[in-house]
Amino acid sequence: MTSVPLVSVFSADDSSKVTAKHIPLPAVFQTPIRPDIVSFVHTNIAKNRRQAHAVNPQAGMQHSAESWGTGRAVARIPRVSGSGTHRSGQAAFGNQCRKGRMSLPIKVWRRWHRRVNIKQKRHAAATAVAATGIVPLVLARGHRISQVPQIPLVVEDKIESYEKTTDALNFLKRFGAFEDVQKVVSTKVVRAGISKQRGKKYRVRKGPLVVYFNENAKLLKAFRNVPGVEVVNVTRLNLLQLAPGGQLGRFVIWTQSAFAHLDKLFGTYRYSSIIKDGYQLLRPLITNPDLARIINSNQVQEKVQPAKTTKVLHEVQKKNPLKNTKAMDRLNPYAKKQRAAAAAAIKANTKGTKKIKKNKALKKASRAAYNKVAASLNDATKAAVQEEQDIKVKYFSVQKGAAQTE
Amino acid sequence: MQIDEVVWQVINRGHCSFKIKTISQNFCRNEYNVTGLCSKQSCPLANSQYATIKEEKGLCYLYVKTAERAQKPKELWEKILLSKNYEQALAQIDEQLKYWSNFMIHKNKQRLTKLRQMLIRIRKMRLKGFKELIPIKKKAERRDKIREQKALVAANLENAIEQELIDRLKNGVYNEIMNYNTKAFEKVVGQNQMEDEEEREQQELEEEEEDYSDEELIFDPNDLEEDDDEEDQDDEEDDKRLFQKQTFNQLRRENDEVKDIKKKKPRVQLQYEEEEEVEDRKKQQIAF
């Protein structure tokens, strides 16, 4: 992680003054960023704040309705008994019926809360803390931190003794955190939906989270009334505050003692946590997540074989080498020369144009002969046909004569 | 450099507040984005080494971000003023982003070009002037129109004008004969009759001498043209109220000054029940 391994602590009164330079970054900030763990843990932990509610178990069932059965030309759904009112004979009880009870009515004994493994919860918290130290993640979450001198922002313990809200506000202004507060103020909207009638009139954004250490700190009251700002003790860091909505990268302002306490709280890669008994920070699967850099580095490229060209297994369309000269040449490179030699030989054998003429004459003679034969054959067939016809005629005339005489 | 990959995975797969998704493309709302598109190469968050061009008051600046300042958001972007000369500015970009990826250099140059062309266009428009399109807001227009009408009605303009004219009349602004609506005149006359009888008497006495001069003034230059109307001189009876004459004169003068109307003015016929004036009128005619 390229989190700055060294962090400066700022003076509470003057954002340009640094009271302590180069404090080492607690190991938590080097935890691998695991949005999957955070998302899982958040969705489950968020359910733990729910209060049981249910639908009235009798709702829709307060009738002595009975099904009329078959044979009455109505659906078999239970119908309200009695008479004298519109309601009688109307369908009841079913989820599909008007005024019927809902299907699977909500019971109080629904499993409202979820338990999550402690280790998972701790990993999630650690990741969330790490994410608060990464500027792009805080920006992407939507915090206005472009005027903040440093992330993670660590301030001397003096702010823990702030009692007045004006002090708190001025402090935020000095450190460029007021822009975030202004964002909260300007984006406060009346909530859509019925929740506004149930005590949740406004939707308010999250602003900075101030983390302190000493239990006697009065800053809780000083920051309480500043919109969007939340105050929490280090020992009670809450994932729901560190990653609101399951989204990593809350803007956090640490006090010096709180910051120093993080090592004890989460432990380091050298020793496991003191407070979270036996908890060891998550180790990354891959220490340098920048794969592109690794692959393109000299050390890797040296060992890597050159990229293979694509192998052509066969032609897209089969060409017959006996007919297609190019296909033939592909198979037998000498074929070209053979062909050339053959052509030359043929040319050499033929002598002038006489032979050609002779051939023509021959052709003509043979053709004439053929025609003669064909003609004679023709005549012969014609004669034969004529003869046959004569015979036929004779025969039939004889027949006729025979018939006539009879 | 190491985190960039991780950041991109988280932002792209998860939620990024600057990303705008459309059917065909994803855009990036971040002010420092070179291309405006959401992609790994052009994401200012997912690249610890990044550069953009931004324009401020007609000047182009090159904003550069390096991994060294990654943890200090306030000092993150180094702002370098680019030369006003286009070619020099391109050279500056080349120099500042030497050995950077071609993508970054190329996109910055493209952005510079685009911004400069925009600035040229702005300057042209300022010099030439341009038609500013203002939307017509139906609701507002409708509302104003109706209010205007109401205001017009509420103002009682006619009444106010009438009052003003009457006041002028009283004040003696009009000396000559004026063309007026008979009904209105009679109304006014009635009023004056009620109010200023004493005054009238006094003025009559005072202004007898002025009669002639007034008569001259009364003489309507337009009347000369109308020979047919000499018969109507008998009917011309206007000496009952001398002060009215004066006002009418004044009115006429005003009329002429204003060059109001060249229309033929009808002879005004006044008939009074009182016959005392007849003699005076005769006198006037003689004076003619």
Side-chain angles (χ1 to χ4, degrees):
Chain A
M1 298 265 134
T2 52
S3 313
V4 166
L6 299 168
V7 162
S8 313
V9 179
F10 289 88
S11 152
D13 304 316
D14 188 357
S15 62
S16 52
K17 258 201 223 165
V18 168
T19 52
K21 260 195 174 180
H22 305 311
I23 286 184
L25 205 67
V28 211
F29 286 91
Q30 314 229 332
T31 323
I33 305 294
R34 293 277 247 115
D36 56 326
I37 297 181
V38 169
S39 157
F40 171 78
V41 174
H42 178 86
T43 51
N44 287 307
I45 281 185
K47 295 175 185 172
N48 293 342
R49 203 171 161 256
R50 297 193 292 185
Q51 289 185 340
H53 63 269
V55 161
N56 189 337
Q58 300 161 354
M61 297 299 282
Q62 297 185 47
H63 298 286
S64 58
E66 269 195 66
S67 172
W68 288 356
T70 51
R72 295 254 231 139
V74 290
R76 292 178 279 176
I77 190 97
R79 294 180 181 276
V80 175
S81 332
S83 59
T85 175
H86 281 294
R87 186 74 178 121
S88 43
Q90 283 182 356
F93 287 173
N95 58 299
Q96 75 270 34
C97 302
R98 179 176 172 271
K99 299 296 208 171
R101 66 134 168 77
M102 63 182 277
S103 51
L104 312 169
I106 300 173
K107 302 292 182 196
V108 195
W109 56 82
R110 171 187 282 195
R111 193 168 63 108
W112 300 103
H113 309 99
R114 297 285 182 277
R115 58 173 301 279
V116 184
N117 298 340
I118 291 178
K119 212 192 260 183
Q120 273 180 319
K121 288 193 272 193
R122 286 169 175 171
H123 285 329
T127 297
V129 169
T132 64
I134 298 173
V135 173
L137 289 180
V138 182
L139 279 170
R141 210 192 150 270
H143 290 287
R144 312 285 190 255
I145 54 164
S146 50
Q147 296 303 317
V148 177
Q150 183 196 260
I151 296 259
L153 183 59
V154 189
V155 188
E156 60 176 351
D157 287 347
K158 200 172 171 196
I159 67 164
E160 290 187 4
S161 57
Y162 280 167
E163 287 187 41
K164 302 286 279 170
T165 312
T166 37
D167 293 338
L169 272 178
N170 288 330
F171 161 75
L172 291 171
K173 283 178 188 169
R174 258 179 267 127
F175 282 88
F178 193 63
E179 210 185 327
D180 214 20
V181 173
Q182 279 176 321
K183 173 200 89 181
V184 170
V185 170
S186 65
T187 54
K188 184 175 172 186
V189 253
V190 171
R191 193 184 291 262
I194 233 177
S195 308
K196 60 173 159 295
Q197 297 169 16
R198 297 178 180 172
K200 294 184 197 169
K201 186 170 183 194
Y202 296 105
R203 277 186 69 190
V204 180
R205 303 287 164 88
K206 297 278 183 197
L209 178 70
V210 182
V211 182
Y212 67 98
F213 180 56
N214 296 316
E215 290 294 349
N216 303 325
K218 294 167 190 167
L219 65 77
L220 170 64
K221 291 209 178 161
F223 282 97
R224 200 160 59 175
N225 205 25
V226 183
V229 174
E230 285 175 340
V231 182
V232 78
N233 190 308
V234 207
T235 52
R236 295 184 285 276
L237 280 173
N238 187 353
L239 181 71
L240 301 173
Q241 287 177 330
L242 287 169
Q247 179 69 19
L248 290 167
R250 181 92 186 256
F251 172 34
V252 180
I253 301 171
W254 309 87
T255 57
Q256 191 175 1
S257 38
F259 203 66
H261 193 72
L262 281 173
D263 257 344
K264 289 189 201 130
L265 196 58
F266 287 98
T268 70
Y269 285 109
R270 286 204 181 156
Y271 54 85
S272 56
S273 166
I274 300 162
I275 296 167
K276 298 184 197 287
D277 196 23
Y279 172 66
Q280 176 62 55
L281 280 173
L282 199 64
R283 283 181 199 278
L285 279 173
I286 176 172
T287 47
N288 184 356
D290 198 351
L291 285 179
R293 188 96 196 274
I294 293 169
I295 290 167
N296 291 326
S297 69
N298 287 330
Q299 295 93 317
V300 171
Q301 289 295 320
E302 272 176 17
K303 304 289 182 188
V304 150
Q305 285 187 352
K308 287 182 189 171
T309 52
T310 50
K311 229 180 186 179
V312 178
L313 295 172
H314 57 79
E315 301 163 5
V316 177
Q317 189 177 41
K318 183 172 191 301
K319 300 280 180 192
N320 186 0
L322 295 174
K323 290 191 188 174
N324 189 312
T325 52
K326 278 193 183 166
M328 188 53 162
D329 291 341
R330 245 178 279 149
L331 291 171
N332 178 14
Y334 189 63
K336 199 172 185 182
K337 281 195 178 170
Q338 279 181 323
R339 251 181 282 125
I346 292 168
K347 208 174 184 183
N349 281 341
T350 58
K351 287 178 182 176
T353 53
K354 268 190 193 173
K355 204 168 189 187
I356 298 165
K357 273 191 181 171
K358 205 177 176 183
N359 285 339
K360 271 193 180 170
L362 263 176
K363 270 194 181 172
K364 225 181 176 179
S366 70
R367 211 181 296 141
Y370 173 79
N371 285 340
K372 246 192 188 173
V373 170
S376 65
L377 273 175
N378 249 345
D379 296 338
T381 49
K382 272 187 188 168
V385 167
Q386 190 63 36
E387 215 184 302
E388 197 184 317
Q389 278 194 344
D390 293 340
I391 294 166
K392 270 190 183 172
V393 167
K394 271 187 198 169
Y395 178 69
F396 279 117
S397 63
V398 165
Q399 287 277 334
K400 270 188 185 173
Q404 279 174 354
T405 50
E406 279 182 13
Chain B
M1 281 299 230
Q2 286 174 318
I3 300 184
D4 292 350
E5 181 67 39
V6 174
V7 165
W8 177 246
Q9 290 288 329
V10 175
I11 287 174
N12 197 28
R13 299 276 184 81
H15 169 75
C16 174
S17 65
F18 299 105
K19 189 183 208 174
I20 298 178
K21 280 187 184 176
T22 49
I23 302 166
S24 48
Q25 243 184 348
N26 292 341
F27 294 105
C28 179
R29 256 193 321 119
N30 194 308
E31 53 175 329
Y32 292 102
N33 192 316
V34 203
T35 56
L37 307 173
C38 179
S39 73
K40 191 174 174 208
Q41 273 187 312
S42 44
C43 180
L45 300 180
N47 287 296
S48 45
Q49 205 183 33
Y50 201 82
T52 342
I53 313 280
K54 280 174 89 177
E55 177 265 329
E56 212 180 298
K57 293 183 188 172
L59 298 169
C60 292
Y61 296 90
L62 175 68
Y63 283 76
V64 180
K65 162 187 161 185
T66 48
E68 283 78 35
R69 297 190 299 267
Q71 303 302 123
K72 299 173 192 168
K74 201 172 185 183
E75 302 157 27
L76 191 58
W77 294 98
E78 186 192 346
K79 187 175 172 181
I80 302 160
L81 174 63
L82 292 174
S83 159
K84 281 190 184 175
N85 182 320
Y86 180 58
E87 283 175 20
Q88 279 180 25
L90 290 177
Q92 269 179 303
I93 292 174
D94 270 324
E95 187 201 319
Q96 294 291 337
L97 306 183
K98 211 173 186 184
Y99 308 124
W100 282 44
S101 64
N102 286 330
F103 174 86
M104 199 51 60
I105 300 169
H106 185 54
K107 288 297 175 190
N108 272 286
K109 286 184 181 171
Q110 278 187 331
R111 194 179 172 85
L112 175 72
T113 314
K114 261 238 160 87
L115 283 172
R116 286 188 67 93
Q117 288 183 341
M118 180 192 85
L119 288 169
I120 289 165
R121 246 178 285 131
I122 291 171
R123 272 180 236 131
K124 264 193 199 163
M125 286 173 88
R126 287 265 173 85
L127 290 170
K128 273 190 188 173
F130 57 95
K131 289 179 188 172
E132 193 182 331
L133 297 175
I134 302 172
I136 297 174
K137 297 180 183 170
K138 273 195 206 164
K139 204 173 177 181
E141 292 284 310
R142 201 192 320 135
R143 200 213 305 142
D144 290 341
K145 195 172 144 195
I146 289 168
R147 282 191 184 164
E148 266 178 45
Q149 288 172 1
K150 286 186 184 168
L152 192 66
V153 169
N156 286 331
L157 276 175
E158 289 181 9
N159 289 350
I161 291 171
E162 197 183 341
Q163 270 306 310
E164 175 64 28
L165 287 176
I166 289 164
D167 290 341
R168 284 192 191 174
L169 202 66
K170 281 186 209 168
N171 292 335
V173 174
Y174 307 117
N175 290 327
E176 294 175 357
I177 301 166
M178 282 299 298
N179 290 310
Y180 47 82
N181 186 355
T182 42
K183 282 183 190 171
F185 177 71
E186 268 154 41
K187 187 173 157 196
V188 168
V189 160
Q191 278 180 2
N192 291 331
Q193 216 168 5
M194 301 284 281
E195 292 166 6
D196 305 314
E197 278 197 50
E198 290 178 7
E199 276 186 37
R200 171 179 65 78
E201 284 174 0
Q202 280 181 357
Q203 285 184 349
E204 268 192 327
L205 288 168
E206 286 173 4
E207 294 162 358
E208 265 190 332
E209 294 177 356
E210 298 177 21
D211 264 356
Y212 300 104
S213 55
D214 285 344
E215 283 166 8
E216 284 173 14
L217 292 168
I218 290 167
F219 182 68
D220 197 347
N222 290 337
D223 294 348
L224 281 174
E225 298 168 300
E226 300 163 7
D227 295 323
D228 299 326
D229 292 336
E230 279 185 21
E231 295 171 355
D232 294 332
Q233 281 184 5
D234 298 326
D235 298 327
E236 197 177 87
E237 296 155 30
D238 200 19
D239 54 345
K240 188 184 182 183
R241 321 229 181 290
L242 287 170
F243 71 96
Q244 285 178 358
K245 273 189 220 165
Q246 285 180 338
T247 55
F248 288 140
N249 284 340
Q250 195 62 39
L251 275 172
R252 170 52 58 85
R253 270 194 225 114
E254 277 188 1
N255 242 2
D256 290 339
E257 285 170 7
V258 173
K259 293 176 188 174
D260 233 343
I261 314 148
K262 278 198 174 179
K263 63 189 175 186
K264 281 186 184 177
K265 295 175 188 178
R267 279 254 161 263
V268 176
Q269 299 187 4
L270 303 171
Q271 291 170 353
Y272 297 100
E273 290 168 11
E274 293 168 45
E275 293 175 352
E276 293 170 354
E277 305 159 354
V278 176
E279 290 173 3
D280 288 336
R281 279 179 226 132
K282 281 183 182 168
K283 278 186 195 170
Q284 286 178 15
Q285 288 173 3
I286 294 163
F288 262 132

